[in-house]
């Protein structure tokens, strides 16, 4: 009777060949990595106290006509819904509730679709972030808001589609979409005051362990935003009682100046200047000289 078993050396050789074959098969099936024609990009900006994140893919002009009417060979025709980039739908995420061009938008992530026009773009926020280029699958129920974005002509060509944030203020920013010779912007407004006032209430008004920095920050916010100046003065005085820094004493001088207490403003500015000179800070010394001159002139 013949044996059907193989010698140990043959079995070992077979196992080696099997493993080698599997490795070669895996290597053959692995894709070769090459640069994407429209690379993915993520840009995040803090607007006020709210983080806004936009994720999109960036196509390039490559000698083509980008925007145009339906009779042209434009790759983004006017009056047609666009995913606002290439590949997947562009998304925009708000960490908190915001206002876009006067319309309230709840915190969350949305598909950012646009309908370009010659002078005005329509920006569509949708709950659907996966629609891509399929314009037939959109549902009205998924739409969160439609806003308008003014389109302008750029002086210099932008080869690769770019979305950035511009014109920042303490509570607002514009989302600026640029490609070829076209720019379209829409404005984001965030609720800074509610958040800051809640912090002031917690740490300064109701808190029992407020630091000099807490008092100073509350006073500066009240001063900058034309709130109760008497309260601002009280807080900056407490800050200076705890730790008199030349910049905080200068804030007291500015608050008194705004309250038309010119004598008090002069006294505080002189003290701030003395501290600034001791700290070898020429900028604040000069700022105090200017404030003293203004106070004397206003008397």
């Amino acid at each position: 009777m013949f044996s059907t078993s193989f010698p140990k050396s043959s079995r070992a050789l077979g196992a080696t060949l099997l493993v080698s074959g599997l490795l070669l098969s895996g290597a053959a099936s692995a894709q070769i990595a090459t640069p994407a024609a429209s690379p993915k990009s993520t840009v995040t900006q803090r607007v006020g106290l709210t983080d806004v994140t936009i994720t999109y893919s960036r196509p390039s002009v490559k000698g083509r006509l980008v925007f145009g009417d339906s009779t042209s060979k434009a790759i983004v025709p006017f009056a047609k819904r666009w995913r606002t980039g290439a590949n997947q739908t562009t998304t925009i995420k708000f960490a908190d509730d915001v206002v876009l061009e006067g319309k309230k938008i709840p915190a969350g992530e949305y598909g950012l679709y646009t309908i370009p026009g010659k002078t005005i773009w329509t920006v569509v926020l949708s709950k659907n972030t996966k629609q891509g280029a399929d314009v037939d699958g959109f549902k009205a129920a998924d739409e969160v808001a439609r806003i308008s974005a003014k389109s302008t002509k750029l002086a210099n060509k932008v080869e690769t589609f770019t979305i950035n944030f511009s014109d920042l203020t303490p509570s607002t920013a514009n989302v600026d979409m640029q490609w070829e010779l076209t720019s379209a912007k829409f404005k984001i407004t965030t609720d800074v005051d509610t958040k800051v006032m809640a912090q002031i209430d917690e740490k300064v008004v109701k808190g029992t362990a407020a630091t000099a920095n807490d008092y100073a920050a509350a006073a500066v916010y009240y001063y900058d935003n034309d709130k109760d100046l008497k309260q601002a003065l009280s807080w900056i005085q407490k800050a200076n009682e705890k730790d008199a820094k030349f910049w905080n004493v200068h804030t007291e001088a500015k608050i008194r100046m705004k309250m038309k207490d010119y004598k008090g403003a002069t006294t505080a500015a002189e003290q701030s200047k003395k501290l600034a000179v001791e700290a070898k800070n020429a900028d604040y010394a000069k700022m105090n000289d200017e404030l003293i001159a203004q106070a004397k002139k206003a008397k």
Side-chain angles (χ1 to χ4, degrees):
M1 181 177 293
F2 295 100
S3 172
T4 57
S5 62
F6 295 97
K8 290 183 178 179
S9 59
S10 297
R11 291 201 301 272
L13 177 61
T16 300
L17 291 172
L18 177 60
V19 172
S20 299
L22 289 172
L23 289 173
L24 288 171
S25 175
S29 63
Q31 294 183 350
I32 298 173
T34 59
S38 302
K40 188 176 182 180
S41 178
T42 298
V43 56
T44 298
Q45 176 64 55
R46 175 154 286 197
V47 183
L49 297 174
T50 298
D51 287 334
V52 181
T53 301
I54 298 175
T55 301
Y56 68 113
S57 293
R58 305 183 62 191
S60 295
V61 177
K62 297 180 180 178
R64 301 172 294 178
L65 174 65
V66 175
F67 301 107
D69 56 38
S70 58
T71 60
S72 68
K73 295 182 179 180
I75 57 177
V76 182
F78 291 144
K80 296 289 185 181
R81 190 190 302 259
W82 182 38
R83 57 191 144 178
T84 321
N87 304 328
Q88 295 82 16
T89 296
T90 291
T91 60
I92 186 166
K93 184 176 181 180
F94 307 110
D96 304 297
D97 295 353
V98 298
V99 174
L100 299 188
E101 295 293 343
K103 293 189 177 180
K104 294 181 179 180
I105 307 296
E109 186 173 25
Y110 304 96
L112 178 62
Y113 302 92
T114 50
I115 304 172
K118 291 182 179 180
T119 58
I120 298 292
W121 286 25
T122 299
V123 178
V124 182
L125 290 192
S126 173
K127 297 176 186 176
N128 192 329
T129 62
K130 307 294 183 183
Q131 197 64 50
D134 181 10
V135 297
D136 296 324
F138 285 90
K139 298 178 181 178
D142 289 336
E143 285 195 11
V144 176
R146 287 192 174 212
I147 60 173
S148 295
K150 185 178 179 181
S151 175
T152 58
K153 187 175 181 179
L154 296 170
N156 299 307
K157 181 180 177 182
V158 176
E159 172 66 21
T160 303
F161 179 55
T162 300
I163 302 178
N164 57 36
F165 294 87
S166 63
D167 310 308
L168 271 75
T169 74
S171 62
T172 68
N174 285 329
V175 174
D176 190 358
M177 301 168 286
Q178 299 182 355
W179 201 12
E180 198 184 29
L181 292 173
T182 298
S183 166
K185 297 180 182 182
F186 62 89
K187 187 175 184 179
I188 300 174
T189 302
T190 60
D191 183 2
V192 172
D193 190 65
T194 299
K195 289 185 175 183
V196 175
M197 291 299 287
Q199 292 179 71
I200 291 174
D201 186 60
E202 178 186 355
K203 293 185 177 183
V204 178
V205 177
K206 296 178 180 177
T208 57
T211 66
N213 288 339
D214 292 333
Y215 282 121
V220 169
Y221 187 74
Y222 267 46
Y223 171 82
D224 287 341
N225 292 276
D226 296 320
K227 293 182 181 290
D228 186 345
L229 289 177
K230 288 184 179 179
Q231 181 63 78
L233 179 60
S234 173
W235 284 334
I236 200 63
Q237 286 176 318
K238 288 182 179 180
N240 291 331
E241 287 169 5
K242 286 178 174 287
D243 187 11
K245 301 293 187 183
F246 61 83
W247 56 87
N248 285 339
V249 180
H250 181 72
T251 296
E252 179 178 340
K254 291 196 299 181
I255 292 171
R256 289 185 179 279
M257 187 71 180
K258 206 170 189 178
M259 295 174 70
K260 298 182 180 180
D261 175 11
Y262 304 123
K263 182 178 179 181
T266 300
T267 301
E270 288 172 346
Q271 181 187 358
S272 176
K273 179 183 176 180
K274 180 176 180 295
L275 294 170
V277 170
E278 291 173 355
K280 297 181 180 180
N281 190 303
D283 289 338
Y284 262 89
K286 181 181 178 182
M287 289 164 60
N288 281 296
D289 280 337
E290 292 172 349
L291 193 148
I292 292 168
Q294 292 172 11
K296 290 181 178 178
K297 186 177 179 180
K299 284 183 179 180

